[in-house]
């Protein structure tokens, strides 16, 4: 099972407490730990977290710098923990605009956890689904009939992603009901779960509620339920 999370609401969380927005991002990092532990504990195969979108470069420089600092610290501190929990780390997104020190930390984390056979933890940084779709379409090749798998493979390549299945459950905190350019291809048949809880408050119970709601959904992929087949006309309509 692949769960993806749009971790939204850090800024509002801080502002409601009269704190600067970066304080929300710092507390949000603790929520990341909780979500990772909860997901690994529930046997989730892949967890993809949206940490920074290509559009987020439009924020004030101080906030952007703070986020990248936080992200590098996270990798440096968490790699050992991932090893202990057999979690494989993978950072997806563009890499051409990242600070060399961050790139080094990413490559180190990915290399160190390469052999881990437990959950795959993908963190999306400088990520845009549209950008990756455009890039994947631009790769020249002699494949005439590019099928779903071949295109998915190209997408994974442009995103520096290890091979994973499509998203089953997409969670967005913070109350907004939109995708904000996240995993547009991979979420084609994902179940969407929007929750008003702000990301820094998100805990193991919230994760559990999302999984419970998911278990109640009926994934039909365009088909109809067997019980709904009531007459042969259904097939001829
Ligand atoms: C999500 O929280 C974190 C990032 C986008 C990096 P926000 O910073 O978007 O928080 P809100 O939506 O402004 O509350
Ligand atoms: C989406 O949140 C990006 C991340 C959580 C990293 P935003 O706060 O940037 O999205 P919008 O601006 O509300 O669409
Ligand atoms: Mg936001």
């Amino acid at each position: 099972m692949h769960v993806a999370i749009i971790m939204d609401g850090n800024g509002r969380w801080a502002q409601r407490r009269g704190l600067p927005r970066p304080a929300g991002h710092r507390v949000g990092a603790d929520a990341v730990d909780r979500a990772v532990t909860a997901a690994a504990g529930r046997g989730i195969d892949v967890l993809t977290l949206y940490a920074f979108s290509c559009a987020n470069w439009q924020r004030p420089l101080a906030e952007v710098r703070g986020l990248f600092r936080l992200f590098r610290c996270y990798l440096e501190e968490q790699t050992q923990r991932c090893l202990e929990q057999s979690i494989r780390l993978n950072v997806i997104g563009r890499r051409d605009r990242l600070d060399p020190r961050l790139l080094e930390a990413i490559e180190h984390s990915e290399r160190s956890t390469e052999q881990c056979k437990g959950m795959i933890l993908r963190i999306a940084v400088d990520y845009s689904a549209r950008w990756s779709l455009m890039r994947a379409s631009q790769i020249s090749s002699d494949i005439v009939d590019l099928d779903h798998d071949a295109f998915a493979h190209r997408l994974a390549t442009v995103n520096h992603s290890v091979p994973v299945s499509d998203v089953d459950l997409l969670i967005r905190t913070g109350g907004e009901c939109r995708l904000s350019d996240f995993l547009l291809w991979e979420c084609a048949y994902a179940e969407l779960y929007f929750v008003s809880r702000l990301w820094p408050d998100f805990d193991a119970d919230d994760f559990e509620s999302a999984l419970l709601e998911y278990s109640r959904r009926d994934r039909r992929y365009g088909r109809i339920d067997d019980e709904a087949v009531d007459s042969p006309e259904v097939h001829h309509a």
Side-chain angles (χ1 to χ4, degrees):
M1 175 155 172
H2 183 170
V3 177
I5 309 183
I6 301 176
M7 311 182 289
D8 197 23
N10 294 349
R12 279 165 284 166
W13 186 93
Q15 279 163 341
R16 281 178 197 175
R17 286 163 179 76
L19 300 166
R21 292 176 56 87
H25 297 313
R26 279 195 296 277
V27 182
D30 299 334
V32 172
D33 286 345
R34 287 196 296 271
V36 170
T37 305
R42 285 297 253 108
I44 301 300
D45 303 295
V46 185
L47 178 68
T48 304
L49 304 175
Y50 205 3
F52 191 87
S53 72
C54 291
N56 289 146
W57 287 107
Q58 299 169 84
R59 295 188 179 197
L61 189 60
E63 180 170 344
V64 170
R65 281 203 179 128
L67 278 165
F68 279 107
R69 205 175 312 117
L70 207 57
F71 183 50
R72 189 155 56 88
C73 289
Y74 180 85
L75 288 177
E76 286 167 1
E77 285 167 10
Q78 296 299 317
T79 301
Q80 187 54 37
R81 239 184 107 203
C82 285
L83 275 171
E84 284 156 15
Q85 298 181 71
S86 205
I87 294 171
R88 180 171 184 183
L89 259 165
N90 178 207
V91 174
I92 63 166
R94 296 182 60 161
R95 293 206 178 168
D96 55 318
R97 307 191 288 192
L98 301 182
D99 181 279
R101 283 172 310 166
L102 176 57
L103 258 183
E104 215 173 282
I106 290 171
E107 283 162 10
H108 175 258
S109 298
E110 290 184 335
R111 257 198 323 273
S112 318
T113 60
E114 208 167 36
Q115 303 301 328
C116 292
K117 297 280 183 270
M119 188 174 80
I120 296 175
L121 172 60
R122 298 197 310 165
I123 304 179
V125 176
D126 200 7
Y127 177 88
S128 155
R130 282 185 163 181
W131 181 88
S132 4
L133 286 164
M134 285 190 292
R135 264 303 160 96
S137 322
Q138 286 159 359
I139 297 173
S140 64
S141 85
D142 33 22
I143 307 173
V144 184
D145 294 314
L146 194 62
D147 64 8
H148 176 283
D149 289 348
F151 191 77
H153 179 77
R154 282 185 177 194
L155 256 188
T157 308
V158 301
N159 279 325
H160 305 92
S161 172
V162 298
V164 296
S165 57
D166 284 348
V167 176
D168 296 297
L169 169 64
L170 175 93
I171 300 171
R172 180 173 185 143
T173 61
E176 315 290 359
C177 302
R178 54 176 171 254
L179 296 178
S180 301
D181 204 8
F182 192 41
L183 303 173
L184 299 182
W185 168 278
E186 298 86 339
C187 281
Y189 273 99
E191 293 299 326
L192 309 181
Y193 181 81
F194 299 106
V195 62
S196 57
R197 181 91 72 220
L198 300 175
W199 178 249
D201 292 327
F202 193 81
D203 62 17
D205 287 343
D206 295 317
F207 190 76
E208 212 44 54
S209 302
L211 291 184
L212 184 65
E213 165 66 23
Y214 172 80
S215 71
R216 294 187 180 129
R217 304 265 179 104
D218 180 15
R219 303 186 78 192
R220 289 187 294 276
Y221 298 96
R223 295 187 288 262
I224 56 171
D225 295 332
D226 287 345
E227 313 83 80
V229 184
D230 51 6
S231 72
E233 279 79 29
V234 171
H235 299 287
H236 298 138

